[in-house]
Amino acid sequence: MSKSPITSTLSDADKAAVGTVLQATLVDLIDLSLVAKQAHWNVVGKNFRSVHLQLDELVTTARTYTDEVAERAAALGISPNGKARTVAEGSGVPEFPDSWLKEADVVEAVVTMLTKLIERLRSRIDEVDKPDLVTQDLLIEITRNLEQAHWMWQAQQA
């Protein structure tokens, strides 16, 4: 189906711009949830339990906002694409090492991932300033939550 069955009050140009931002955010959040779960399964070390549980919190945050972003796109008549190939080709989440990792290495990797995603989100917040303040509000909320997580992960490095 090429024509959307869902209409939007946004102009075609604004809808296209917002759609690009929402799709990129969707892909990043899906990948974040997958990478955080990979880390969750492979973390080892003396602080295993706390890092293991904190990774599940990050997965929950990423999955919650994945759904919010996809549903925002759908509400605007933009078909969200969260297929594995799309995520693999479009994610801005840094590579995560394979195999077992000491908790300090996992913490460092998560801080790096969150730093990159927050930078990408802040850029997107600016991109939707004019075309759609509702989407901007969602991106601000996601950024606020990821920045809080970023702070908590960084605190473990202090």
Side-chain angles (χ1 to χ4, degrees), residues 32 58 61 114 118 121 142-150:
L32 175 62
L58 185 57
T61 298
L114 289 173
I118 290 164
L121 280 163
I142 295 167
T143 303
R144 181 181 55 80
N145 277 282
L146 290 182
E147 284 180 340
Q148 183 178 33
H150 187 243

Side-chain angles (χ1 to χ4, degrees), residues 29 34 37 51 61 65 98 151 154:
L29 289 170
L34 295 171
K37 196 48 115 167
V51 173
T61 298
Y65 286 117
D98 292 336
W151 155 56
Q154 287 181 90

Side-chain angles (χ1 to χ4, degrees), residues 8-62:
S8 172
T9 58
L10 297 180
S11 70
D12 288 345
D14 286 350
K15 182 177 167 183
V18 172
T20 298
V21 166
L22 286 169
Q23 180 60 40
T25 303
L26 177 67
V27 164
D28 283 352
L29 289 170
I30 290 170
D31 202 19
L32 175 62
S33 73
L34 295 171
V35 170
K37 196 48 115 167
Q38 177 69 19
H40 169 87
W41 295 323
N42 286 283
V43 64
V44 294
K46 64 182 179 172
N47 294 317
F48 159 80
R49 182 162 172 73
S50 64
V51 173
H52 181 78
L53 294 174
Q54 192 172 5
L55 285 161
D56 261 347
E57 291 172 4
L58 185 57
V59 170
T60 298
T61 298

Side-chain angles (χ1 to χ4, degrees), residues 21 25 116-129 136 139 143:
V21 166
T25 303
K116 180 69 173 173
L117 289 181
I118 290 164
E119 289 169 355
R120 290 169 63 89
L121 280 163
R122 285 191 165 276
S123 172
R124 293 174 191 150
I125 287 168
D126 290 341
E127 290 178 45
V128 295
D129 179 40
Q136 185 186 51
L139 296 179
T143 303

